[in-house]
Amino acid sequence: MPAQTKRLYTGKVRTTGGRDGASRSSDGRLDIRLSTPGGQGSGTNPEQLFAAGWSACFEGAMAIAARKMNVALPAGTAIDAEVDLNVDEGAYFLSARLNVSLPGLDPNVARAVVDAAHQTCPYSRATRGNIDVEINLI
């Protein structure tokens, strides 16, 4: 990490049992059961957790972008994140869609906010070039 980099936060989670196990954060705020996607378990799965984290972070990035553009995000702003677990010839990989709702916002302004957020959101930056991603205005 470059010397001028300032670490803002470190999330610490311990997982045991893999996809059919449990995850608990070091501060105890996250304490969940895990289940295989489509399986019989009652827990969540990594794809859902990734979708939740990315969509929350992306909305924060949209708020920053909107402020810089002197635009207010409308009431009812929402992101429906979809993270796919895929397999091809035995190799597993992810793909994703962020379906962004900015009700009442001019479509050109909405697109500018979403595009700016996609450039700055840490999750978007981490996935760029690594997985297929669609950012849709709905």
Side-chain angles (χ1 to χ4, degrees):
M1 186 166 23
Q4 71 276 9
T5 300
K6 179 181 176 184
R7 180 175 291 129
L8 299 176
Y9 176 76
T10 300
K12 297 179 183 179
V13 174
R14 181 180 187 132
T15 299
T16 57
R19 285 186 171 269
D20 290 309
S23 294
R24 188 174 200 292
S25 63
S26 60
D27 63 7
R29 291 182 180 186
L30 177 71
D31 190 358
I32 57 170
R33 299 282 317 147
L34 300 170
S35 298
T36 303
Q40 298 299 314
S42 61
T44 188
N45 59 64
E47 290 73 27
Q48 290 172 332
L49 293 169
F50 189 68
W54 192 357
S55 58
C57 187
F58 196 86
E59 189 164 336
M62 287 191 330
I64 292 168
R67 270 196 306 280
K68 289 180 179 178
M69 296 175 189
N70 293 316
V71 172
L73 290 182
T77 294
I79 301 169
D80 294 314
E82 302 172 353
V83 174
D84 306 312
L85 175 61
N86 308 291
V87 64
D88 184 21
E89 296 182 10
Y92 293 93
F93 63 98
L94 300 175
S95 57
R97 288 163 305 289
L98 298 181
N99 300 307
V100 181
S101 177
L102 294 165
L105 201 59
D106 174 89
N108 292 325
V109 173
R111 177 49 62 191
V113 167
V114 165
D115 289 348
H118 192 46
Q119 292 306 307
T120 60
C121 171
Y123 283 75
S124 292
R125 292 173 55 91
T127 59
R128 187 169 294 117
N130 295 312
I131 69 171
D132 289 334
V133 176
E134 293 176 27
I135 309 291
N136 303 307
L137 279 173
I138 56 169

